[in-house]
Amino acid sequence: MTTYDGKKIVITGGSSGIGLTTARLFADGGAHVLITGRTRSTLDAALEQLGNKAIAIRSDAASLKDIKALAGTVQERFGAVDALFVNAGVTASAPFDSTTEEMYDELFDINAKGPYFTVQALAPLLREGSGVVLTTSVVNVLGLDALSVYSASKAALRSMTRTLARELLPRKVRVNAVSPGPVDSGILDRSMLPADVVEATKDTYRSTNPMQRLGTSEEVAAAVAYLAFDATFSTGTELPVDGGASQL
Ligand SMILES: NC(=O)c1ccc[n+]([C@@H]2O[C@H](COP(=O)([O-])OP(=O)(O)OC[C@H]3O[C@@H](n4cnc5c(N)ncnc54)[C@H](OP(=O)(O)O)[C@@H]3O)[C@@H](O)[C@H]2O)c1
């Protein structure tokens, strides 16, 4: 019997980076994982890593129609859920004076509205004692350049962690947030930025971090597993995985 043997776990944005690493941790421990993402090819590549017990569903976190359909699929395939990791998110940067309405709406739709309605849609399926984990970001307490909209969307999610934790208390469902700092999840390497810009950005993140390095997806996944299953007397909290960036 392994740690997560037979557990049913849903991970939005589970096709790459932090979400995929977390899905692998749970699948390796014997869990049944259902992951989502927008891109079929990335989902298929993730499935190859996760093995034949895993399920990959194409579902846009910003679409209420997709979220409703996802809840139907989860009910059909899993029945009840032991942990929900609401991780799908996107980042974009622009100085305040050149931010467009389109960028604002996209970031809020995916990073704040989507998670809110995902928890709402899946809440009826969450087993008593289960854990919800939301991926916020260290930037929700920092005033960094050119990240006003992304930071605000993650701060909204931080607030929802508290209010949804309160509302799900009677159902004995815990809601907590993991707050990564700069993590080498592959997100920058997969961006359209030229390789030298990617390396320069990583160098800046390293040199400005108290621990002088980037975090790993594995370090975030371990925190998610703790919040989802082991943090049985914690709800409404946020666990930073940021090398000290939000505190020192
Ligand atoms: N890496 C960091 O330094 C860092 C720091 C703080 C917070 N975070 C947060 O951590 C989370 C994971 O990021 P990551 O670094 O692992 O990046 P990533 O590798 O790009 O992963 C993002 C995941 O979310 C999915 N996704 C994005 N938009 C979606 C949408 N509209 N609907 C459904 N799925 C969607 C992606 O799939 P598709 O590509 O198929 O859409 C992918 O599976 C995000 O919420 C991010 O904001 C990351």
Side-chain angles (χ1 to χ4, degrees):
M1 180 107 165
T2 44
T3 325
Y4 307 111
D5 214 15
K7 299 288 186 202
K8 311 264 176 66
I9 300 168
V10 175
I11 301 178
T12 72
S15 58
S16 65
I18 292 166
L20 177 57
T21 303
T22 308
R24 226 168 26 227
L25 183 152
F26 287 136
D28 288 350
H32 298 268
V33 294
L34 184 152
I35 61 166
T36 73
R38 286 173 301 189
T39 320
R40 190 68 255 171
S41 54
T42 321
L43 285 163
D44 289 342
L47 268 188
E48 280 182 27
Q49 292 190 37
L50 295 173
N52 56 11
K53 267 200 298 186
I55 302 164
I57 304 291
R58 205 179 157 277
S59 177
D60 183 350
S63 156
L64 263 66
K65 185 166 158 268
D66 281 14
I67 291 170
K68 225 172 151 189
L70 174 67
T73 306
V74 171
Q75 178 160 34
E76 195 183 302
R77 305 291 293 267
F78 280 176
V81 171
D82 297 287
L84 168 62
F85 180 30
V86 183
N87 172 70
V90 287
T91 185
S93 60
F96 161 67
D97 55 8
S98 60
T99 294
T100 61
E101 183 182 12
E102 189 190 10
M103 177 180 153
Y104 185 99
D105 286 345
E106 187 192 355
L107 286 175
F108 265 84
D109 282 355
I110 298 174
N111 294 350
K113 186 179 92 174
Y116 183 90
F117 286 104
T118 299
V119 178
Q120 186 192 66
L122 291 179
L125 305 178
L126 291 168
R127 227 186 265 288
E128 189 173 306
S130 62
V132 176
V133 182
L134 307 169
T135 306
T136 59
S137 166
V138 65
V139 300
N140 76 39
V141 290
L142 300 176
L144 300 185
D145 228 9
L147 282 173
S148 56
V149 183
Y150 177 69
S151 306
S153 70
K154 292 295 189 181
L157 202 51
R158 174 65 187 98
S159 171
M160 288 173 200
T161 307
R162 294 191 174 94
T163 49
L164 300 183
R166 168 64 70 184
E167 295 217 31
L168 288 171
L169 258 187
R171 308 234 352 254
K172 299 189 169 46
V173 171
R174 297 168 299 100
V175 182
N176 291 292
V178 66
S179 182
V183 171
D184 201 358
S185 64
I187 193 171
L188 275 175
D189 308 82
R190 283 188 295 277
S191 71
M192 306 302 276
L193 294 170
D196 58 328
V197 177
V198 168
E199 270 323 300
T201 307
K202 286 186 185 179
D203 281 346
T204 306
Y205 286 159
R206 279 187 203 101
S207 63
T208 54
N209 188 273
M211 289 193 185
Q212 299 280 294
R213 69 172 176 89
L214 303 175
T216 66
S217 293
E218 285 74 13
E219 288 170 318
V220 182
V224 174
Y226 167 71
L227 291 171
F229 287 102
D230 302 319
T232 49
F233 198 46
S234 300
T235 195
T237 65
E238 178 183 48
L239 178 51
V241 183
D242 64 358
S246 59
Q247 309 297 322
L248 310 183

